[in-house]
Amino acid sequence: MLGITDLSTYLAGLALIVLLPGPNSLYVVSVAARRGPRTGYRAAAGVLCGDAVLMALSAGGVASLLHASPMLFAVVKFAGAGYLTWLAVGMLRGARTLWRRRPGAAEAARSAAAEPGADGAVDVAVDTAAGSAEGERPYRRALVISLLNPKAILFFISFFVQFVDPDYAHPALSFIALGAWAQLFSITYLSVLIFSGTYLAATFQRRRRLRAGLSAAAGTAFLGFAAKLSLSSAG
């Protein structure tokens, strides 16, 4: 079908791969927990668009170029690691601010911002630890996280090629079909994460230090992803 060989094996492998934790899914669930499903889906859209670009680049042979040029791979690799580190530092700083905030400080700041003449600056400062939906731009961040991942490009081509019939007359259709399945699995999984994150946020809404701990854990995980990416090789 459309030049795809052994579709059942592909789908089984795809399910396992999608379920593996990574910076994309971690960022989506973090945004959903802090800002709700609507903002979570904005981040998910960034992930899906980034993956679509990587799939297209993979099909076009860019992965072969990265594999053949260690210098180019190193540039993209360290750019991605640096961006993940920047995100991690922001999460850890936000967690520290949230941990040190006095109980009731957020409500008091919001009341002050609502008074006549208040310009809302205090409210913006209060929301900084959790990440303002306007300032954070979840779609753009998720898109950049996806694009700055050279390993993903190499993965897509190495995984997809195994299931494309070399004798099929229109291999581009095969890549499109395989990519469509991957996107379907991804949006399903991200939807589960989005609503799970929202549920957890509602459950622990008043537990300030628990939220700070979760933010710190996410930041630490992002540092781990950055270290793993910076130590990876093209081979």
Side-chain angles (χ1 to χ4, degrees):
M1 181 180 67
L2 295 177
I4 300 176
T5 62
D6 203 356
L7 179 60
S8 60
T9 300
Y10 168 75
L11 295 179
L14 183 63
L16 293 175
I17 292 163
V18 169
L19 290 175
L20 289 175
N24 290 338
S25 58
L26 181 61
Y27 181 68
V28 170
V29 73
S30 173
V31 169
R34 290 184 279 110
R35 293 294 169 181
R38 183 175 181 179
T39 307
Y41 273 109
R42 288 171 60 189
V47 172
L48 295 177
C49 289
D51 285 349
V53 171
L54 295 182
M55 291 176 196
L57 292 176
S58 299
V62 174
S64 298
L65 175 63
L66 287 178
H67 188 77
S69 175
M71 181 175 295
L72 178 59
F73 182 86
V75 170
V76 179
K77 177 181 67 174
F78 286 114
Y83 188 74
L84 291 177
T85 301
W86 179 74
L87 289 179
V89 171
M91 288 182 177
L92 293 173
R93 291 179 61 187
R96 183 181 64 179
T97 301
L98 191 59
W99 184 272
R100 293 180 174 180
R101 186 187 304 164
R102 297 189 308 275
E107 290 74 10
R110 287 186 172 85
S111 297
E115 293 176 357
D119 59 4
V122 176
D123 188 54
V124 172
V126 170
D127 282 337
T128 299
S132 170
E134 181 67 23
E136 188 173 3
R137 297 184 180 180
Y139 172 84
R140 187 177 68 178
R141 282 198 177 186
L143 178 64
V144 173
I145 291 173
S146 294
L147 293 178
L148 293 181
N149 189 353
K151 275 292 185 179
I153 303 177
L154 297 175
F155 160 75
F156 281 129
I157 194 169
S158 63
F159 187 64
F160 281 9
V161 166
Q162 300 177 47
F163 301 95
V164 175
D165 185 355
D167 297 326
Y168 187 63
H170 306 286
L173 294 179
S174 304
F175 277 99
I176 291 174
L178 293 172
W181 276 110
Q183 296 288 58
L184 178 61
F185 275 50
S186 292
I187 189 59
T188 301
Y189 177 58
L190 292 176
S191 294
V192 172
L193 293 181
I194 286 170
F195 287 102
S196 297
T198 305
Y199 171 77
L200 291 175
T203 302
F204 301 110
Q205 183 176 10
R206 300 185 180 277
R207 302 187 182 185
R208 174 177 52 88
R209 292 198 169 185
L210 178 58
R211 297 202 311 274
L214 292 175
S215 181
T220 302
F222 265 66
L223 284 177
F225 288 127
K228 183 178 180 181
L229 181 59
S230 64
L231 296 175
S232 65
S233 62

